[in-house]
Amino acid sequence: SLNVDFGILGKLDFYIYLRIMRNSRKSIDTIGIVLAHGYSTASSITTTANYMLGSHVFDAIDMPMDMQAVDIAERVTNYIAALENVSNLVIMVDMGSLEEIHNNIILNEQMNIVLFNNVTMKLVLDVGMMILQDQSIRNIIQKVDTHDYHNKHVYIESKKKSRAILTVCPTGINTADKFRQLLLDSLPKKVEIEIISCEFEEINELKNQSKLFDKYDVQYIVGTVNPQIPEYEFIPIEELIERQNLDKIKVLFDKQLNVEEIEIFGHNILRNFSLQNLLEYLTILNPEKIVIYTEEIIQEIKEEIEPDLGSSKIVGLYIHISCLIERLITDKYITKYDNIKEFQKNYPDFIDKVKHSFAN
């Protein structure tokens, strides 16, 4: 942790400090800064907080008693201008003129900024922990507001539109919600792209005049029927399930998901889609539990028999194997098969491999 008394530093030293801090900080999109009256009050708070958090989460700007508020505002403006790849800034101040500092600084319209007054060590530590947990800025504000910190906040929202994927289906918003949840559940980790379910009729009728396109920077529209909006590319949901458009997903999540995570995403979509279908077929077994065993069986089948099973076959296997297990448990299994002896004679190797796949 590096702490500097900005009261005795010039602008050049200030930028050198910021460069050092940016290079030493872990890659997170929310950072904090503490402003307080006194020659070392803010620095002392951030030094202790960063040490206890085990990471450099907060920077500090001290305000000697003989320094004017306009000078501090200039320092904060320079600080904000020097930030790179930061989406959210949490400013924490103690009292007095600093509480109104947001009125005198030049804001970055690409950044969400929240200012909390009445800063305390507990508040700094709690907010710092939420930052390290990668919680959203709105979630941080909500949690601070619901605790007894005896403070107020000012929130200045970014004017930059969030990137988004829209999910649609002519059958109604409920199906669009299912597609949205399918994508969310399949992502291997949190990404900075919103997934929004919307009424098909709205965007099919209004096209790019829908308010959704004013509010969000729409990247793709995903669903069952193309609403035919030339400016926005449509991806059929079945193509995602069959992993035909993972290259587009790779571009969309560039720098957020690596190659391995993209593969996991494709695998998860197929698995979760099968899980949703299982809910319609199974009566007593827990689909979330049975799909784990079914997944192991299918993996064995791919290794033993056919490594290049298509997505549609895998979906079928998920459903049929899970239903098979339930039939066996409920004593409703099939006892008569057509041409079973001929099949056993012609495909003994295949039968042995299937038995091995089901061994566990």
Side-chain angles (χ1 to χ4, degrees):
S1 176
L2 176 64
N3 291 279
V4 180
D5 179 0
F6 287 111
I8 59 174
L9 278 185
K11 187 177 292 186
L12 178 61
D13 301 298
F14 179 81
Y15 285 123
I16 292 174
Y17 168 81
L18 285 181
R19 192 176 301 116
I20 294 171
M21 288 300 93
R22 292 287 78 73
N23 291 337
S24 66
R25 187 189 301 278
K26 292 181 180 179
S27 178
I28 51 178
D29 66 356
T30 302
I31 65 171
I33 179 171
V34 176
L35 282 64
H37 292 83
Y39 280 98
S40 61
T41 307
S43 295
S44 178
I45 291 173
T46 58
T47 298
T48 305
N50 289 336
Y51 176 79
M52 296 179 70
L53 292 168
S55 181
H56 190 98
V57 180
F58 292 99
D59 293 329
I61 295 183
D62 295 303
M63 181 179 177
M65 299 308 296
D66 58 351
M67 180 177 284
Q68 299 297 313
V70 65
D71 296 323
I72 285 294
E74 182 183 0
R75 292 274 169 81
V76 177
T77 296
N78 293 336
Y79 176 88
I80 293 175
L83 296 177
E84 295 179 359
N85 301 320
V86 173
S87 301
N88 309 298
L89 174 64
V90 179
I91 302 176
M92 313 182 80
V93 305
D94 55 359
M95 61 179 185
S97 59
L98 292 180
E99 294 177 329
E100 303 297 325
I101 195 169
H102 62 282
N103 293 322
N104 299 311
I105 60 178
I106 300 174
L107 302 174
N108 184 339
E109 294 186 350
Q110 308 299 309
M111 187 186 302
N112 297 311
I113 297 176
V114 60
L115 183 144
F116 294 113
N117 68 352
N118 291 345
V119 61
T120 63
M121 180 60 71
K122 176 173 173 51
L123 177 61
V124 172
L125 288 173
D126 288 350
V127 171
M129 185 59 67
M130 287 187 277
I131 290 175
L132 289 177
Q133 292 170 348
D134 201 25
Q135 296 193 30
S136 70
I137 193 69
R138 291 184 180 276
N139 198 41
I140 292 174
I141 293 172
Q142 181 182 14
K143 289 187 176 180
V144 170
D145 284 348
T146 55
H147 284 71
D148 190 20
Y149 292 111
H150 302 289
N151 67 348
K152 297 179 181 179
H153 79 266
V154 175
Y155 179 51
I156 304 166
E157 190 172 20
S158 164
K159 293 184 179 179
K160 177 183 178 182
K161 292 193 291 186
S162 299
R163 293 199 300 165
I165 298 172
L166 301 184
T167 60
V168 297
C169 184
T171 61
I173 192 67
N174 289 338
T175 307
D177 284 337
K178 289 183 179 180
F179 292 159
R180 173 182 178 274
Q181 199 60 49
L182 175 64
L183 298 181
L184 285 174
D185 291 344
S186 302
L187 287 167
K189 67 179 184 183
K190 178 184 175 183
V191 296
E192 293 300 321
I193 296 176
E194 296 192 50
I195 302 177
I196 312 294
S197 55
C198 59
E199 292 283 1
F200 177 83
E201 291 301 325
E202 176 186 343
I203 64 171
N204 189 48
E205 180 179 346
L206 298 177
K207 304 300 183 185
N208 61 357
Q209 299 301 311
S210 169
K211 291 182 179 179
L212 284 167
F213 298 106
D214 289 333
K215 186 175 181 180
Y216 298 102
D217 179 14
V218 176
Q219 304 293 303
Y220 293 107
I221 300 173
V222 175
T224 51
V225 176
N226 190 347
Q228 302 294 336
I229 306 176
E231 301 94 324
Y232 300 97
E233 186 167 2
F234 176 77
I235 301 179
I237 189 70
E238 63 269 21
E239 289 188 9
L240 278 184
I241 293 168
E242 294 176 4
R243 305 176 68 173
Q244 295 181 20
N245 270 313
L246 289 188
D247 55 332
K248 294 178 183 176
I249 298 300
K250 183 175 183 298
V251 173
L252 179 59
F253 295 130
D254 184 35
K255 298 180 181 178
Q256 297 192 57
L257 299 181
N258 58 34
V259 175
E260 182 181 356
E261 288 167 337
I262 292 292
E263 283 296 317
I264 294 173
F265 176 69
H267 171 80
N268 287 347
I269 282 186
L270 182 57
R271 179 183 185 275
N272 292 331
F273 180 74
S274 302
L275 185 59
Q276 286 185 7
N277 285 335
L278 285 176
L279 291 171
E280 300 177 9
Y281 294 97
L282 299 181
T283 57
I284 66 169
L285 294 183
N286 182 344
E288 293 183 359
K289 294 287 183 67
I290 199 65
V291 79
I292 296 174
Y293 297 104
T294 305
E295 192 170 33
E296 294 176 358
I297 293 170
I298 292 174
Q299 185 58 38
E300 288 285 342
I301 290 174
K302 290 173 69 176
E303 293 177 3
E304 293 274 346
I305 302 171
E306 178 55 63
D308 297 321
L309 286 170
S311 297
S312 58
K313 288 182 181 178
I314 293 177
V315 170
L317 285 172
Y318 267 114
I319 295 171
H320 287 292
I321 292 173
S322 299
C323 292
L324 163 66
I325 296 171
E326 179 163 277
R327 287 199 306 272
L328 292 173
I329 290 174
T330 57
D331 290 330
K332 295 179 180 178
Y333 47 86
I334 299 170
T335 56
K336 187 177 184 305
Y337 297 91
D338 295 332
N339 304 318
I340 184 67
K341 290 186 177 180
E342 181 180 353
F343 188 87
Q344 289 172 327
K345 178 182 177 181
N346 293 335
Y347 304 102
D349 186 50
F350 172 82
I351 293 173
D352 287 341
K353 289 179 179 179
V354 169
K355 286 183 176 180
H356 181 265
S357 299
F358 278 77
N360 288 335

